């Protein structure tokens, strides 16, 4: 069956990051994950202590560089590995671990600017929280976005207050909405993170989160599957309460329904989790990343599904 999705040059029926990069830059683009040595307002007492209950000891930067090394050394270490597979790629520095705008602007410049000077670097991605971007930082990011390809990755995870409280997120939905608005006023690209399978959330709740995200002026999204990691507060809760962990089949079903509700131009930066196997408690099926991705593709073909399908159907019906 012919692929009905226009933002694709493969069998994918959603707007993949690889497709987006090749359309924009004309070649392969690799992201290099970096650890800038930042902390988090949800860990140091500014907003709370302990961080989000699912956060690993590396601050969700398990695949980032080693913070004991300087930024350029981290960059070159990972780049040397990628060059063996893609010897003519372009690069994006991805500040991944913890909250990467949580410092004075002078400190941020010391981290970001050296990466932008590296050969074949065409941009940076900055993972952060909506409550950790100051007015001075916004001004700097606006200036930065005018001279490089910049994405600000904002954690949301869920729109539901009960879950937000449970996971110790430390900010509310209004805070998130306002920061998206502030970033877009400055024409800064926004990528939103969400997590499927958070404790006690129903499929309907996860669908509601995607419906809300689709109303916002965002350019990309990362969809994660909740995974229980060793030595986290989430592990303690799971061992005690044994809340339901989504099966692979449930996850695939939810993700496809979510994709059908997303505007086709929104780029899907990630569609499954990628945990460190040795640290993972549940779900064990998540360690087979490519099997999950392939099964999503197969199920979308089976359903004749594609990103934005339900939006398109709703327009026809109205």
């Amino acid at each position: 069956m012919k692929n009905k999705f226009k933002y694709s040059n493969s069998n994918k029926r959603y707007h993949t990051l690889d497709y987006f990069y090749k359309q924009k830059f004309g070649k392969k683009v690799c992201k290099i994950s970096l650890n800038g040595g930042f902390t988090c307002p949800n860990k140091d007492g500014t907003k709370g202590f302990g961080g989000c209950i699912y956060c690993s000891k590396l601050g969700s930067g398990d695949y980032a560089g080693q913070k004991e090394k300087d930024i350029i050394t981290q960059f070159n270490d990972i780049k040397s590995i990628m060059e063996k597979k893609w010897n003519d790629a372009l690069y994006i520095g991805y500040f991944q671990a913890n909250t990467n705008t949580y410092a004075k602007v002078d400190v941020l410049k010391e981290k970001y600017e050296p990466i932008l000077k590296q050969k074949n670097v065409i941009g940076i991605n900055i993972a952060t929280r909506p409550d950790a971007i100051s007015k001075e930082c916004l001004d700097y990011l606006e200036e930065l976005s005018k001279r490089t390809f910049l994405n600000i990755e904002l954690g949301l995870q869920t729109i539901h207050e009960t879950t937000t409280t449970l996971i110790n997120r430390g900010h509310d939905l209004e805070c998130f909405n306002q920061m998206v608005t502030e970033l877009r006023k400055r024409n800064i690209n926004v990528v939103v993170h969400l997590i499927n399978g958070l404790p006690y959330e129903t499929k309907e709740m996860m669908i509601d989160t995607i419906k809300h995200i689709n109303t916002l002026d965002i350019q990309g999204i990362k969809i994660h599957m909740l995974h229980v990691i060793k030595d986290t507060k989430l592990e303690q809760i799971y061992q005690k309460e044994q809340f339901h962990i989504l099966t692979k089949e449930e996850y695939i079903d939810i993700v496809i329904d979510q994709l059908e509700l997303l505007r086709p131009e929104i780029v899907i930066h990630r569609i499954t989790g990628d945990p460190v196997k040795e640290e993972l408690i549940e779900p064990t099926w998540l360690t087979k990343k490519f099997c999950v991705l392939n099964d999503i593709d197969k199920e979308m073909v089976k359903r004749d599904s594609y990103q934005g399908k339900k939006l398109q159907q709703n327009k026809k019906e109205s």
Side-chain angles (χ1 to χ4, degrees):
M1 185 179 295
K2 186 179 178 181
N3 191 343
K4 295 181 179 180
F5 187 63
K6 67 177 181 178
Y7 296 99
S8 178
N9 56 2
S10 66
N11 67 323
K12 302 295 185 182
R13 289 171 170 242
Y14 53 91
H15 197 156
T16 66
L17 185 59
D18 185 63
Y19 174 83
F20 171 80
Y21 282 153
K22 286 177 180 175
Q23 292 297 307
K24 185 172 181 64
F25 298 107
K27 61 195 307 184
K28 178 70 177 178
V29 176
C30 298
K31 284 199 294 186
I32 295 184
S33 295
L34 304 167
N35 190 327
F38 297 101
T39 181
C40 175
N42 202 19
K43 291 181 177 180
D44 69 3
T46 302
K47 292 286 183 177
F49 294 97
C52 301
I53 64 174
Y54 48 76
C55 196
S56 72
K57 56 181 175 288
L58 292 176
S60 298
D62 299 283
Y63 293 98
Q66 300 176 28
K67 67 179 180 180
E68 295 79 14
K69 297 182 179 181
D70 66 81
I71 287 294
I72 299 304
T73 301
Q74 291 182 39
F75 180 87
N76 288 330
D77 285 349
I78 300 172
K79 180 184 176 185
S80 66
I81 296 172
M82 291 184 171
E83 283 178 327
K84 295 175 182 178
K85 189 171 183 179
W86 301 287
N87 59 12
D88 66 340
L90 301 174
Y91 297 96
I92 285 178
Y94 176 28
F95 288 85
Q96 180 182 18
N98 286 305
T99 304
N100 293 275
T101 57
Y102 188 46
K104 293 182 178 180
V105 169
D106 287 346
V107 175
L108 300 181
K109 289 181 178 180
E110 289 175 1
K111 304 292 184 179
Y112 304 163
E113 297 293 342
I115 295 299
L116 294 175
K117 295 176 182 177
Q118 301 307 300
K119 184 179 178 181
N120 292 331
V121 168
I122 47 85
I124 58 172
N125 280 29
I126 301 169
T128 189
R129 294 166 54 92
D131 57 351
I133 305 179
S134 67
K135 171 61 167 59
E136 293 75 17
C137 181
L138 279 169
D139 292 341
Y140 171 52
L141 294 176
E142 181 178 11
E143 185 271 326
L144 197 59
S145 70
K146 293 176 181 177
R147 54 188 170 92
T148 194
F149 181 64
L150 174 66
N151 283 290
I152 300 301
E153 301 195 13
L154 284 184
L156 172 63
Q157 322 315 352
T158 178
I159 65 168
H160 301 286
E161 185 178 351
T162 52
T163 311
T164 299
T165 301
L166 173 64
I167 65 177
N168 193 39
R169 186 65 195 159
H171 66 78
D172 59 15
L173 180 59
E174 184 57 28
C175 172
F176 175 84
N177 291 341
Q178 289 177 356
M179 185 49 65
V180 172
T181 300
E182 288 299 320
L183 289 165
R184 293 305 296 146
K185 279 181 183 177
R186 293 162 172 79
N187 202 32
I188 298 170
N189 295 325
V190 176
V191 178
V192 178
H193 289 227
L194 70 85
I195 298 177
N196 285 331
L198 288 166
Y200 310 111
E201 285 210 346
T202 63
K203 176 180 177 179
E204 290 70 28
M205 293 171 74
M206 297 175 225
I207 295 297
D208 284 343
T209 292
I210 213 76
K211 286 179 178 178
H212 177 77
I213 290 172
N214 195 59
T215 67
L216 304 176
D217 180 14
I218 67 163
Q219 290 61 58
I221 190 170
K222 284 187 174 181
I223 302 175
H224 301 265
M225 168 61 199
L226 179 75
H227 42 278
V228 182
I229 298 296
K230 293 178 181 178
D231 301 322
T232 60
K233 180 66 174 179
L234 182 63
E235 181 196 7
Q236 296 174 21
I237 296 172
Y238 178 68
Q239 299 295 1
K240 181 180 179 181
E241 302 182 15
Q242 292 293 302
F243 57 82
H244 178 64
I245 300 288
L246 294 179
T247 66
K248 183 175 73 169
E249 292 71 26
E250 288 172 327
Y251 181 74
I252 290 171
D253 174 64
I254 291 166
V255 164
I256 293 175
D257 281 357
Q258 289 174 324
L259 289 174
E260 289 184 346
L261 290 165
L262 277 177
R263 302 190 308 275
E265 65 271 19
I266 294 175
V267 181
I268 312 301
H269 286 236
R270 178 179 285 274
I271 204 168
T272 184
D274 200 12
V276 177
K277 185 176 182 180
E278 293 74 19
E279 299 294 320
L280 182 66
I281 304 293
E282 287 287 356
T284 55
W285 57 261
L286 202 53
T287 59
K288 298 180 180 179
K289 176 181 177 180
F290 291 103
C291 290
V292 177
L293 294 174
N294 289 337
D295 287 348
I296 289 173
D297 293 339
K298 291 176 185 177
E299 185 63 20
M300 292 188 83
V301 171
K302 182 179 177 181
R303 296 189 193 185
D304 192 21
S305 177
Y306 51 89
Q307 185 178 336
K309 180 179 180 180
K310 289 179 182 176
L311 296 178
Q312 189 178 77
Q313 290 175 340
N314 291 340
K315 284 184 179 179
K316 289 180 179 179
E317 291 171 1
S318 61

